[in-house]
Amino acid sequence: VVADLVQDVRKIMLPYTAANFQEAANYRKLTIQKYCQHACLPLGVSHMLVFSQNEERLSLRIAKTPQGPTLTFRVHQFSLARHIQKLQRRPVNINSLTDHPPIVVTNNFGDASAAPQIKLMRITFQNMFPAINVATVRLKECRRVVLFHMIEEKSSEEEGGEIRQTVEVRHYAIKATPVGVNKKVRRLIQTKIPNLNKVQDIADYIAGTANASSA
């Protein structure tokens, strides 16, 4: 299951990631610093995401190469993309949307007065993806969003009553939809041309005085 999670995370990072990367067995005992020297620097890799698992927990480390910092997280729960697709009425094929990097959204990470570790997380998440130039980006390139959402909860008195911080990561497929127009006009704008062979004039179709089947 963890191997499937790794593949899903790689899809989030596309197109700037090694989607078919296979770890050499002799590298598995290396520290992140040594791994960076042997594998990351020669390939120009800016960040490493490393999953590790033992009998008690699943962990994720995010390391900035070549000199850090390294963030360590405990993975409490996750859902695989294939599980989400089974619940959707119209599943989205994410493989067709990975030609361009996703838009990064960080939510609830505070402002300039936030704690240093919160600022570091926000900056790291943002720098894992290329910046978007609003002046030159094209709308058709904006097909995905990755959301990093900070949740702060107070633990129970038995656990010390401390503030527990959790980061939710969600990956969305998005599309632009015209608003403020008739539903039938919207279908025409989105190139879903209906079959108009029973309509004398397209105005009849838009006005709703005649029916048309989907082409």
Side-chain angles (χ1 to χ4, degrees):
V1 176
V2 176
D4 294 334
L5 175 61
V6 170
Q7 292 301 320
D8 282 353
V9 172
R10 288 179 179 177
K11 289 181 180 179
I12 293 176
M13 308 300 295
L14 285 172
Y16 302 116
T17 190
N20 299 317
F21 175 78
Q22 293 183 352
E23 184 182 26
N26 59 330
Y27 278 10
R28 292 179 181 174
K29 295 184 179 180
L30 295 179
T31 63
I32 288 184
Q33 185 176 6
K34 291 290 186 180
Y35 203 104
C36 175
Q37 294 175 357
H38 287 79
C40 295
L41 291 181
L43 298 175
V45 175
S46 64
H47 292 79
M48 287 194 303
L49 281 72
V50 182
F51 285 97
S52 57
Q53 185 179 33
N54 55 30
E55 295 180 355
E56 297 181 354
R57 66 181 62 185
L58 173 64
S59 300
L60 167 65
R61 286 177 292 173
I62 302 177
K64 174 70 173 70
T65 62
Q67 297 180 342
T70 300
L71 308 181
T72 302
F73 301 90
R74 180 176 180 179
V75 181
H76 293 279
Q77 59 184 359
F78 61 89
S79 299
L80 298 177
R82 56 185 170 89
H83 295 155
I84 301 299
Q85 289 177 334
K86 287 182 179 180
L87 300 175
Q88 294 176 323
R89 292 182 58 187
R90 299 177 181 176
V92 177
N93 180 13
I94 198 67
N95 295 326
S96 63
L97 308 178
T98 54
D99 292 337
H100 302 280
I103 299 171
V104 181
V105 177
T106 54
N107 183 55
N108 205 31
F109 282 84
D111 51 19
S113 62
Q117 71 272 16
I118 302 298
K119 293 180 182 179
L120 179 60
M121 281 192 287
R122 175 174 53 81
I123 293 172
T124 300
F125 294 148
Q126 291 173 340
N127 290 343
M128 286 181 355
F129 302 86
I132 294 177
N133 188 333
V134 179
T136 60
V137 68
R138 292 181 293 181
L139 187 60
K140 66 179 182 180
E141 297 175 358
C142 303
R143 299 302 311 276
R144 296 184 294 140
V145 168
V146 56
L147 169 66
F148 296 93
H149 175 54
M150 168 68 73
I151 300 174
E152 292 187 346
E153 297 176 326
K154 187 175 181 180
S155 61
S156 63
E157 296 297 334
E158 298 177 354
E159 297 177 346
E162 298 180 350
I163 300 298
R164 178 185 299 168
Q165 296 170 333
T166 305
V167 178
E168 279 189 352
V169 183
R170 297 180 180 271
H171 189 205
Y172 297 97
I174 60 174
K175 64 179 180 179
T177 302
V179 296
V181 296
N182 183 284
K183 181 179 180 181
K184 295 182 178 180
V185 175
R186 186 185 306 133
R187 290 184 60 189
L188 296 176
I189 295 175
Q190 294 176 327
T191 68
K192 298 178 181 179
I193 306 300
N195 187 345
L196 302 175
N197 64 345
K198 297 182 180 179
V199 179
Q200 297 294 327
D201 191 292
I202 192 172
D204 296 335
Y205 166 69
I206 296 175
T209 56
N211 296 323
S213 59
S214 299

